[in-house]
Amino acid sequence: MTTVLFYIFALLVACSAIGVAVSRNIVRTAVCLFFTLTGVAGLYFLLNAEFLAAVQLVVYAGGTLILIVFGVMLTNRLPSAGWDVKPWEKTVALGIGAVLASALVASILSLPPRAQPDESGAYPVLELGAALLGDYLLPFELVSVVLLVVMIGAAYLAKGRRRNREAQP
Amino acid sequence: MSSTLAIIGSPFIPGWDQLGAFLPELVLVAAIVGVLITPFFTERRNFACAVVALVGLVGAFVSVFAVAGEDGAYFRGLLVSDSLAVLWKGLLLLFTAGIVLMWIGTMAEAMREGDGPEFFTLLLGATLGMSLMASTTNLLMIFLVVELASLPSYVLAGFRKTHRLGAEASLKYVLFGAATSSIMVYGLSLAYGLYGTLDLAKIAEQMAVPGAQHVLLAVVLIGLIAGIGFKISAVPFHFWCPDVFEGAHVDVAAFLSVASKGAALVLLLRMVMLIGSAAGFEASAVTVSLAWTLGILGAVTATWGNLAAFAQTNIKRLLAYSSIAHAGYMVCALSLLVARRNEAPAADAAQAVILYLAVYLFMNLGAFTIAALVWRQTGSEQIADFSGLGRRAPIAAAVMTACLFSLVGLPPLAGFAAKLVLMKVLFDNGGWWTVLVFVIGINTVLSLYYYLRIVKVMYLQDRGEDVLGGPILPRVIGVACAAMLVIMLIGFGSLDRLTRDAGRIHDTNSSVAAVK
Amino acid sequence: MPLPATLLLIATLLPLASFVTLVFAGKRIGTPLAGVVATGAIGGSFAASIGALISWLSAADPVPWGAAREPILLLYKWVPIGQVGSNSTGWLDLGIYIDSLTLAMFTMVTMVALLVHVFSIGYMRGDKRFPRFFTYLGLFGFSMLGLVISATVLQLFIFWELVGVCSYLLIGFWYEKKSASNAAIKAFIANRVGDVGFLIGFGILFYHLGNVTLPNLWATLGSAGTLASGEAIGNFGYTLLTVMGIGLFFGAIGKSAQFPLHVWLPDAMEGPTPVSALIHAATMVAAGVYLCGRIFPILTPDAKLFIAVIGVTTLTMAALIAIVQSDIKKVLAYSTISQLGYMILAMGVGSWVGGLFHLITHAFFKALLFLGSGSVIHAAHHEQELTQYGGLARKIPVTAITFLIGVLAIAGTPLLAGYYSKDMILAHAAALGYLAEGQGRGGLWWAFFVLPVIVAYITAFYMMRCWMLTFWGKPRNREVYEHAHEYPVMYIPLIVLAVLSIIGGSYLGVSDLLQYTQQESNAIVRTIGGDAAGDVFASAWPVRSHNVMPPHEELDVAPAAEISLAGHVLEAGEHLMHRWVGWAFAIGIGLAVVIYWNGLTIAQRLTALPPLNWIHTWLYNKMYFDELYNSVFVGGVRGLSIVLGAFDRKVVDGLVNGAAALTRGLAVISGAWDKYVIDGMVNGAAAVARGIGSLLRIPQAGRIRLYVTMLFASVTAAVAVVVLVVLMRS
Amino acid sequence: MIVGLHHYLVLAAILLVCGIVTMLIKRNAIGILMGVELILNAANVNLVAFNHYLPADSGIRLDGQIFALFVIVLAAAEAAIALAIILSFYNNFASIDVEKASNLKG
């Protein structure tokens, strides 16, 4: 069962990731990305990380992606004609990808195999919470500072944005 | 300080009593809050925020002295405090305070009233991240603080949001930064996977075991070098640097030139020291290749920066390439740390880097301040518009000259001693490091040309413009920097003793493992 | 920090403070006030020096330092450089070294400088660059005092160069005058030639010993003075030591205007007269002698022989030229060279105290003479030719009287300053003659005594000639005569200096102070090197073995049992000296009075006679040294001077504006670099660098996708290479 | 064939390469941003998988999952900043084609 589910999710993730890479339409790219993120969430379920899967769905698929889609929609009036990428650039990109993929896969396969973990254990959500508010309280607090600063920065850039258009060089 | 907080009482918060060792960061957070609430009390929001930020930075700087000496690992090894961290924090806070002063002197009028709170929140946030970068050896914390340092910087680069070049600089910065940081996270995830821990000290220990050096470790190290190399702007991760410096305001460029690079250098320094301390030079293929990588990276970076600076016409762009070159010199010295850990030369190399940073801080602040002054008065950043500065603004020109000479490394300025010590440390190790000494030497000769070109423009070309007026504050900052450069040369011995401990953090690092 | 050290440090830094203030605010402070600021600073230095001297002389237990006790040596670890040389501490040390000589020099330099400052306020009043003049004087004061207080050879060299820079700036102060800027170039070149030697000597020293302090140097090499040929001290063979000593002495040749590099000093008189008084007569040119004094213990007998030969050549040559010069400042310039020759000779013949004693007394009366000439020139509306003067004593009586005192002092009139110091040198020279004769080395060695004695007569003659032509007789140029007048602000320094010229020899205790210095130096050398270290001022030359006794019948006095051999021979030398020199001043002065009683009439008749007119022409043209150098080094010097001329024009023009005068020089170098290297040599290294630079700028095309591509390409390449290497190996 | 650690790692590598290729061939700034998200997800898959397959003797340790959690949060923050900057760029250039951003060069 797990195996089947893994291959379903893996196929979903891989195919939609490739879709993200090759799709020329930005909306289609966004949809592909959504499927990728959902698939990754599925993988998290398989990896005994249910909480993370939920976060993935809520924050990533639900939040980040919506943000991206907003961005797409705000800027989508643009003509996408003439945005073609030169063939040699595609070749270089695929070359880099191929070399990196083979190098990585080769080295991953040389990693010694690890024992299957005991699947019987309950999901350690209590431990996760304790760790987050215990050992990892400091980064937890720090990330709130990051978010505060980021929020202010993003809001600054986004607000009153059409001011002084004509004053530009 | 820990005792002070203990008296306040310990709410049920893990590690509450350990916060005292990070008082400077706490003061910075308080300053961020202060900046955010200041607009509610005053009409002159920009200026008030600047003052609040300045007070916060100075307060944080003062509190650095209070936490000096509280060495050890805190929060179960998430953060460490030692002489290296304390020194860097002191330098960073001093420098950022200088940037705020420079902003008051030259940039304040260029900013729309009301944007101050955002600007200083971002500046202080980035400073917080950069100050923590010197204090951590945990993979999670490394990622977190690098992002905390980077994210506000992206916005700062494009803070002039109606300015095309600013927007372009910002976009390039964020995309390049996102690319490198994502590569770094991928590397970090592999590091976690290989060794099952997030603590770099433990990872380094396991890494030293010959059998435990899997090929994926290369991906880990390359990812780390990419992520940190991006902040240092080492070749080939430097492409953002000239563009961002040119597109950003002078104050932001000045801030990034020292603070961002310095923080990343200190982080890299700590990491290579850890890796080196776990395994000696000959013992491990990892340290050998890392030493070679860093040496080549430094040499290429220095040469690339200097050569590309030759034909620049924009002062900020030129200083950007100059900062790349200087980062290269320091990376050269880092190669010693991996190679000769547990021996005195490695400690000397770490100390040389810190000394170089300390000197570099003042020469860059001075040069950028004068550039800002010229920009404010003429609206131009072209080197050609420095013509006749020797007559139009003799003090500014003299300060600029002093800073440039120090950047070249000419006596009687501190850049000379800093470079001398750096080269001497490399030279003492002999072998291939002698090549690095030659590279730095040749680069110094190369750099002479483009730095002196500015001096030439200032003194020998004169298009007969009027006297360059402007506020007194930037001149005061500039003169203070130039004076520091002279004082630091004379006082180099004291400086050396002051920073003696910076390179000798090995003991506190091994205690990280003990705490956990 | 001990009190004298603190005070002397303050004294050193005050002129620097004045320099910095005037650099930035000189123009704003304005004409009379800038002078007052600088004068106040140097006055503070003088007061601090006096304070230091008093505390030095009155020092008692528990402090270890003090007169005739131990010197103060404070070291500061400056730049860590690791192990260089055998004596290294791992640092480039800087330091303060204070002994009685330091205090004597400080007091002398600050006193003369103070008087020159006061004089200059009057003398330079009309000049449009008045503040700049005092700016340079401040820098000079700092450099000179820094030189004197230096504890290490490196420091000596740094301040040595700084002093040279000041001299260059001040000679060319009136750079609009072609002759002034040429003179500055000439001084620059001559000093560089000397510094090359200095650098060679310093290089040898540094290579073997590292950056040593002076006492360390003496403790290590202090026995060089009695070293025999073929012996060695540690790594230093006799020849190496000799080469090193002569190398270092070359610096002194340049700075103290010794033969054959003396040509710059007379030309340097193109600078303002107060500068001539301060720098080119009293202080800076004496720095060479001071340097010799500091390196004296490491000079081998052969190095001393070289020094003595240079000294005696210089003093004779300069005195002869001085006889016929018609420019009042040129006369004084050649007399300065000649007197410096005496000092150098003193170092060569082992009269350490005599040389430095003469340095200090000479500073007093030569500053007096130069300031007096300045007063004359000022009174005569910048007319400097002796032929245009005459009878000025009636118009400027204070100047005339003080000038006469100076003339008497330099002529060696008994009881005046010059008498004591010159006699001390000549006594040593005579003793040397005895010693050499005792070894059967032949009569040529007596030249070191005979020539200076003859020159003592000549000195009295030409100085009196100068005075007679200026102040005596009938006015030869009525216009000059009518307008002559003098100011109190200018003649008060003259009076002070005249008093010093009278009492400086016997009553101020200068020679005692110098004797203390020897004891102090030996004390610190014993502290460092152990009790075995002997007297580092012992000089074996020319007696390489102490046991060789000159025949008793050669000496005029019977050997007394209780005095040492050296003391014994010295006593004989004194007798001989008194017999021959005692009345030199009277004869020389008398002859001059007789010949020049009626102005130039007798002299003109004399110089028309056939053999005398040739000699006159030869001497008048300064023995054709300039022409000789011009023809010998015609290509080189011309080319160099054209380059330096361009350099100079730009530098000196650049000085008009801007505070950072020196930086302009480097700007010019950069300009020349740009012009000649970049444009001129298209294929030069810089062009290549620039070419590579523009190649490197191709990837920086502004395209973010290109950047990211290169980023990932390099990451991928790195990963691929490592994976390939590792997987292939396993 | 039992699904093991290697399967997840290879999948993550594929995600990484897709992300890199996306960054290289997109001219749309938002597209490039999506590439970044893919790479971050690759890292997260690695982290969670490694955490799952930790050696058995180590007890319950959740470092990897927590790291992944922070990566998700910071990715969101980064996306927010990047989008704000892209909007600012759009306001100035009326385009989000990154090829337009080529004024700063040399």
Side-chain angles (χ1 to χ4, degrees):
Chain A
M1 181 62 194
T2 323
T3 314
V4 174
L5 276 178
F6 170 78
Y7 281 111
I8 291 174
F9 286 133
L11 212 61
L12 177 67
V13 168
C15 291
S16 51
I18 292 169
V20 171
V22 298
S23 162
R24 308 243 329 251
N25 183 316
I26 189 70
V27 179
R28 209 173 297 156
T29 315
V31 173
C32 285
L33 183 63
F34 174 76
F35 283 118
T36 314
L37 298 178
T38 317
V40 169
L43 292 175
Y44 291 166
F45 271 109
L46 296 181
L47 287 167
N48 204 17
E50 287 87 349
F51 181 70
L52 217 58
V55 171
Q56 172 88 358
L57 283 175
V58 174
V59 176
Y60 235 134
T64 311
L65 196 63
I66 294 295
L67 202 62
I68 290 178
V69 171
F70 263 118
V72 169
M73 293 195 304
L74 278 171
T75 55
N76 202 26
R77 294 174 295 116
L78 307 170
S80 27
W83 285 35
D84 292 329
V85 177
K86 295 187 190 82
W88 70 266
E89 287 177 333
K90 277 185 195 166
T91 318
V92 167
L94 289 178
I96 289 175
V99 171
L100 190 63
S102 29
L104 278 178
V105 169
S107 44
I108 285 169
L109 291 183
S110 75
L111 202 66
R114 295 201 182 161
Q116 285 292 334
D118 184 13
E119 296 286 346
S120 65
Y123 179 68
V125 70
L126 189 67
E127 282 81 358
L128 191 73
L132 209 52
L133 290 176
D135 288 357
Y136 288 98
L137 182 65
L138 181 81
F140 189 79
E141 296 294 341
L142 204 56
V143 99
S144 62
V145 179
V146 177
L147 289 176
L148 171 75
V149 173
V150 162
M151 189 180 75
I152 287 165
Y156 165 77
L157 281 184
K159 82 179 175 192
R161 56 202 168 82
R162 290 188 198 283
R163 179 170 51 86
N164 291 340
R165 281 286 292 274
E166 59 285 347
Q168 289 166 24
Chain B
M1 288 312 297
S2 346
S3 52
T4 330
L5 279 179
I7 293 167
I8 299 172
S10 172
F12 183 65
I13 295 174
W16 166 262
D17 55 329
Q18 299 180 24
L19 272 177
F22 297 91
L23 192 62
E25 283 83 355
L26 292 178
V27 175
L28 276 181
V29 173
I32 293 177
V33 177
V35 165
L36 285 175
I37 61 172
T38 305
F40 298 113
F41 299 106
T42 171
E43 283 300 301
R44 296 184 62 201
R45 284 168 289 182
N46 286 1
F47 184 73
C49 286
V51 171
V52 170
L54 191 62
V55 169
L57 286 165
V58 171
F61 178 70
V62 171
S63 61
V64 166
F65 292 99
V67 300
E70 298 197 19
D71 294 357
Y74 294 88
F75 304 106
R76 291 177 177 257
L78 287 179
L79 290 179
V80 291
S81 177
D82 54 25
S83 49
L84 177 67
V86 164
L87 267 171
W88 165 247
K89 284 171 193 172
L91 287 177
L92 173 74
L93 294 166
L94 189 65
F95 174 74
T96 314
I99 291 289
V100 174
L101 275 177
M102 172 181 158
W103 181 90
I104 295 173
T106 55
M107 293 291 159
E109 290 172 12
M111 186 178 285
R112 199 175 65 95
E113 183 61 48
D115 285 351
E118 283 95 340
F119 182 80
F120 287 107
T121 305
L122 293 166
L123 189 73
L124 291 173
T127 310
L128 176 65
M130 288 159 186
S131 119
L132 283 172
M133 271 167 86
S135 257
T136 180
T137 55
N138 186 287
L139 300 188
L140 169 58
M141 290 299 288
I142 288 174
F143 176 57
L144 190 58
V145 294
V146 166
E147 289 294 299
L148 176 54
S150 296
L151 294 178
S153 308
Y154 300 152
V155 182
L156 283 175
F159 202 79
R160 290 187 287 181
K161 58 185 173 182
T162 58
H163 191 263
R164 283 169 70 93
L165 295 183
E168 180 181 335
S170 201
L171 182 73
K172 284 178 174 173
Y173 199 8
V174 73
L175 291 182
F176 204 84
T180 50
S181 74
S182 58
I183 288 286
M184 181 173 81
V185 182
Y186 186 80
L188 292 181
S189 74
L190 288 176
Y192 166 72
L194 287 174
Y195 301 111
T197 173
L198 292 178
D199 192 321
L200 193 65
K202 286 184 176 172
I203 291 177
E205 274 170 30
Q206 297 189 42
M207 211 188 269
V209 182
Q213 292 169 356
H214 190 263
V215 58
L216 280 176
L217 195 53
V219 185
V220 173
L221 292 177
I222 290 168
L224 269 175
I225 290 176
I228 298 174
F230 155 71
K231 302 237 71 168
I232 298 179
S233 69
V235 176
F237 315 109
H238 71 287
F239 291 108
W240 61 275
C241 181
D243 291 4
V244 167
F245 276 34
E246 189 182 343
H249 246 183
V250 187
D251 46 355
V252 176
F255 177 67
L256 293 179
S257 78
V258 174
S260 169
K261 287 175 196 230
L265 270 165
V266 173
L267 175 58
L268 188 59
L269 194 157
R270 190 182 287 285
M271 290 194 333
V272 294
M273 276 182 111
L274 274 178
I275 294 172
S277 73
F281 181 54
E282 304 300 338
S284 141
V286 173
T287 46
V288 174
S289 42
L290 199 55
W292 274 93
T293 310
L294 289 174
I296 293 170
L297 199 69
V300 171
T301 303
T303 315
W304 190 302
N306 276 324
L307 287 174
F310 258 51
Q312 299 304 332
T313 54
N314 181 299
I315 183 74
K316 282 191 302 185
R317 209 172 175 82
L318 185 132
L319 287 172
Y321 279 115
S322 133
S323 77
I324 292 173
H326 283 271
Y329 300 150
M330 288 184 264
V331 172
C332 281
L334 289 187
S335 70
L336 266 179
L337 288 168
V338 207
R340 293 274 190 253
R341 191 62 191 113
N342 296 333
E343 291 175 34
D348 290 343
Q351 192 193 0
V353 171
I354 276 286
L355 281 174
Y356 203 96
L357 265 177
V359 173
Y360 178 67
L361 184 166
F362 287 103
M363 48 204 194
N364 247 22
L365 181 61
F368 271 105
T369 305
I370 302 309
L373 179 70
V374 173
W375 174 82
R376 180 188 193 268
Q377 294 304 109
T378 65
S380 165
E381 288 162 355
Q382 295 302 309
I383 293 170
D385 289 312
F386 279 66
S387 73
L389 205 67
R391 176 184 55 78
R392 294 153 66 201
I395 294 177
V399 167
M400 191 73 178
T401 308
C403 292
L404 293 174
F405 281 177
S406 186
L407 283 166
V408 179
L410 292 179
L413 295 151
F416 163 70
K419 202 175 243 176
L420 184 73
V421 169
L422 198 74
M423 289 168 81
K424 173 78 181 156
V425 165
L426 287 169
F427 188 77
D428 277 347
N429 273 274
W432 284 103
W433 282 281
T434 323
V435 177
L436 289 183
V437 176
F438 278 114
V439 169
I440 296 179
I442 291 168
N443 270 297
T444 303
V445 177
L446 285 178
S447 68
L448 191 67
Y449 164 72
Y450 65 83
Y451 288 125
L452 282 189
R453 196 156 53 88
I454 305 176
V455 178
K456 192 189 83 180
V457 170
M458 288 194 299
Y459 284 101
L460 293 183
Q461 292 178 1
D462 203 334
R463 300 195 297 224
E465 288 101 334
D466 286 341
V467 168
L468 191 86
I472 192 80
L473 183 59
R475 289 175 170 84
V476 172
I477 302 170
V479 169
C481 287
M484 275 307 289
L485 289 177
V486 176
I487 293 169
M488 283 169 101
L489 181 69
I490 297 168
F492 206 79
S494 316
L495 211 60
D496 184 87
R497 280 184 286 282
L498 196 70
T499 54
R500 184 115 295 221
D501 291 338
R504 287 152 184 81
I505 58 171
H506 179 233
D507 298 338
T508 46
N509 275 324
S510 34
S511 69
V512 172
V515 170
K516 281 202 77 123
Chain C
M1 201 187 267
L3 183 63
T6 316
L7 285 172
L8 290 194
L9 205 57
I10 292 170
T12 311
L13 294 178
L14 270 175
L16 181 66
S18 141
F19 165 69
V20 171
T21 314
L22 292 180
V23 158
F24 284 112
K27 263 187 198 159
R28 240 163 275 171
I29 291 177
T31 284
L33 214 55
V36 174
V37 169
T39 311
I42 197 74
S45 289
F46 176 59
S49 305
I50 291 289
L53 186 63
I54 291 169
S55 84
W56 181 260
L57 290 174
S58 58
D61 290 332
V63 290
W65 45 264
R69 290 142 67 90
E70 271 199 3
I72 299 174
L73 176 65
L74 296 174
L75 277 189
Y76 167 67
K77 290 180 166 43
W78 182 37
V79 178
I81 51 154
Q83 196 71 24
V84 176
S86 62
N87 232 345
S88 169
T89 54
W91 293 80
L92 275 186
D93 291 319
L94 294 185
I96 296 175
Y97 179 75
I98 296 171
D99 59 9
S100 296
L101 175 60
T102 312
L103 282 155
M105 290 293 289
F106 254 81
T107 317
M108 183 274 281
V109 170
T110 51
M111 184 191 296
V112 174
L114 174 62
L115 295 173
V116 166
H117 273 74
V118 172
F119 184 86
S120 302
I121 294 178
Y123 188 85
M124 297 298 289
R125 177 157 285 224
D127 198 279
K128 64 177 184 290
R129 285 193 300 274
F130 182 89
R132 187 159 303 276
F133 181 77
F134 283 94
T135 314
Y136 291 159
L137 282 188
L139 183 60
F140 171 76
F142 166 67
S143 319
M144 187 68 204
L145 296 176
L147 174 72
V148 178
I149 205 171
S150 294
T152 67
V153 184
L154 173 71
Q155 235 172 321
L156 271 176
F157 184 70
I158 293 173
F159 284 108
W160 184 266
E161 290 300 320
L162 260 181
V163 164
V165 167
C166 297
S167 164
Y168 174 79
L169 291 173
L170 283 164
I171 295 171
F173 187 74
W174 287 321
Y175 58 84
E176 299 93 337
K177 266 166 53 183
K178 182 86 183 105
S179 57
S181 71
N182 277 349
I185 295 167
K186 204 170 186 180
F188 190 77
I189 296 177
N191 273 299
R192 284 297 79 69
V193 174
D195 288 346
V196 168
F198 192 170
L199 263 180
I200 292 171
F202 180 53
I204 297 173
L205 184 66
F206 196 83
Y207 180 78
H208 285 287
L209 289 184
N211 185 39
V212 284
T213 59
L214 293 173
N216 259 321
L217 180 66
W218 303 333
T220 318
L221 300 175
S223 54
T226 51
L227 206 63
S229 175
E231 287 178 349
I233 309 172
N235 285 332
F236 289 87
Y238 184 82
T239 314
L240 185 65
L241 265 177
T242 308
V243 169
M244 187 177 87
I246 292 176
L248 291 171
F249 172 66
F250 253 86
I253 293 184
K255 200 126 290 180
S256 287
Q258 296 298 292
F259 173 84
L261 297 178
H262 63 277
V263 288
W264 68 270
L265 185 66
D267 288 23
M269 297 305 142
E270 292 293 341
T273 306
V275 169
S276 309
L278 176 61
I279 300 183
H280 304 123
T283 57
M284 181 196 87
V285 290
V289 182
Y290 175 80
L291 177 75
C292 285
R294 287 305 192 195
I295 62 169
F296 185 84
I298 66 163
L299 294 172
T300 58
D302 280 345
K304 286 200 185 103
L305 173 61
F306 181 82
I307 291 173
V309 169
I310 293 286
V312 80
T313 313
T314 308
L315 72 91
T316 315
M317 169 211 72
L320 289 175
I321 295 177
I323 299 176
V324 299
Q325 290 305 309
S326 62
D327 180 320
I328 184 169
K329 282 181 76 180
K330 288 273 160 72
V331 176
L332 293 177
Y334 278 102
S335 116
T336 304
I337 297 176
S338 175
Q339 297 300 312
L340 288 169
Y342 273 105
M343 300 174 210
I344 294 291
L345 171 71
M347 289 298 160
V349 300
S351 174
W352 191 88
V353 173
L356 290 165
F357 189 16
H358 198 55
L359 189 164
I360 287 172
T361 55
H362 172 258
F364 293 144
F365 54 70
K366 192 46 70 66
L368 167 62
L369 289 171
F370 262 106
L371 290 186
S373 78
S375 179
V376 171
I377 292 167
H378 195 259
H381 294 277
H382 293 273
E383 178 55 63
Q384 301 193 9
E385 287 293 312
L386 289 172
T387 50
Q388 302 297 313
Y389 295 156
L392 287 175
R394 283 182 292 276
K395 284 290 200 173
I396 43 175
V398 180
T399 309
I401 293 165
T402 50
F403 202 95
L404 183 61
I405 292 171
V407 169
L408 292 175
I410 199 174
T413 309
L415 303 180
L416 268 61
Y419 170 77
Y420 296 95
S421 49
K422 195 187 279 183
D423 283 5
M424 198 180 280
I425 297 170
L426 291 175
H428 274 81
L432 180 75
Y434 278 124
L435 286 172
E437 199 171 303
Q439 281 189 321
R441 281 164 178 269
L444 208 55
W445 296 78
W446 281 105
F448 293 128
F449 176 68
V450 175
L451 285 174
V453 166
I454 295 171
V455 169
Y457 288 83
I458 298 176
T459 307
F461 173 76
Y462 70 70
M463 286 313 300
M464 195 60 197
R465 162 183 178 267
C466 179
W467 191 87
M468 292 294 290
L469 287 176
T470 308
F471 296 102
W472 199 254
K474 286 194 282 287
R476 286 181 291 278
N477 184 335
R478 288 272 4 142
E479 198 185 338
V480 165
Y481 179 78
E482 293 299 335
H483 293 97
H485 54 283
E486 55 189 354
Y487 302 108
V489 71
M490 284 161 69
Y491 68 62
I492 286 171
L494 295 181
I495 295 170
V496 175
L497 283 168
V499 172
L500 285 170
S501 301
I502 295 171
I503 63 170
S506 48
Y507 304 108
L508 291 183
V510 179
S511 67
D512 293 340
L513 213 51
L514 295 169
Q515 301 281 5
Y516 296 153
T517 310
Q518 294 198 336
Q519 298 175 26
E520 293 153 13
S521 304
N522 282 325
I524 195 164
V525 165
R526 269 192 293 278
T527 313
I528 296 171
D531 288 333
D535 179 7
V536 297
F537 293 95
S539 178
W541 187 72
V543 192
R544 292 224 170 91
S545 160
H546 288 288
N547 300 327
V548 178
M549 190 74 174
H552 285 177
E553 60 272 21
E554 293 282 336
L555 305 179
D556 288 347
V557 288
E562 66 271 18
I563 53 172
S564 67
L565 171 73
H568 174 64
V569 177
L570 197 58
E571 203 174 313
E574 264 173 40
H575 277 269
L576 190 69
M577 183 272 301
H578 281 303
R579 190 193 296 162
W580 288 106
V581 188
W583 292 98
F585 76 97
I587 294 169
I589 286 174
L591 200 61
V593 169
V594 169
I595 290 180
Y596 294 100
W597 186 264
N598 274 325
L600 287 160
T601 39
I602 299 174
Q604 270 163 354
R605 232 171 280 158
L606 278 176
T607 50
L609 297 175
L612 283 177
N613 60 357
W614 298 336
I615 296 174
H616 180 265
T617 315
W618 180 56
L619 291 178
Y620 187 78
N621 287 304
K622 303 152 192 172
M623 301 185 178
Y624 295 106
F625 270 111
D626 289 337
E627 287 76 5
L628 179 73
Y629 289 170
N630 269 345
S631 56
V632 171
F633 308 113
V634 69
V637 172
R638 275 282 157 71
L640 200 58
S641 68
I642 287 168
V643 173
L644 280 169
F647 173 81
D648 192 70
R649 268 195 304 284
K650 288 198 175 167
V651 171
V652 173
D653 288 351
L655 289 179
V656 184
N657 298 311
L662 277 176
T663 58
R664 283 165 194 275
L666 284 149
V668 173
I669 295 172
S670 153
W673 175 268
D674 203 13
K675 195 167 166 193
Y676 298 114
V677 180
I678 303 291
D679 298 343
M681 300 162 50
V682 182
N683 298 324
V688 172
R690 192 176 236 185
I692 301 172
S694 51
L695 270 183
L696 291 183
R697 289 168 67 213
I698 292 173
Q700 196 78 33
R703 295 176 54 225
I704 177 70
R705 289 180 55 239
L706 187 60
Y707 298 171
V708 176
T709 308
M710 282 183 290
L711 161 72
F712 283 124
S714 20
V715 167
T716 306
V719 170
V721 165
V722 177
V723 169
L724 264 181
V725 168
V726 174
L727 289 186
M728 275 176 144
R729 206 184 276 170
S730 61
Chain D
M1 182 182 171
I2 297 168
V3 174
L5 177 62
H6 291 153
H7 291 78
Y8 288 98
L9 297 189
V10 170
L11 186 65
I14 292 171
L15 267 176
L16 171 83
V17 170
C18 285
I20 288 177
V21 172
T22 307
M23 289 190 76
L24 293 187
I25 63 175
K26 290 273 185 276
R27 283 177 66 172
N28 187 323
I30 294 179
I32 295 179
L33 195 60
M34 291 179 187
V36 175
E37 303 301 334
L38 284 185
I39 301 179
L40 290 174
N41 268 282
N44 270 358
V45 169
N46 267 352
L47 284 168
V48 177
F50 275 127
N51 197 19
H52 188 66
Y53 286 94
L54 271 183
D57 57 344
S58 55
I60 300 172
R61 272 167 45 194
L62 296 166
D63 291 345
Q65 288 201 20
I66 292 198
F67 198 158
L69 203 57
F70 280 104
V71 171
I72 292 176
V73 174
L74 286 170
E78 199 170 71
I81 285 280
L83 281 169
I85 289 173
I86 290 171
L87 280 179
S88 167
F89 182 79
Y90 174 72
N91 286 334
N92 282 293
F93 288 79
S95 169
I96 51 170
D97 179 4
V98 292
E99 292 292 303
K100 291 264 195 291
S102 55
N103 296 313
L104 297 166
K105 61 186 171 194

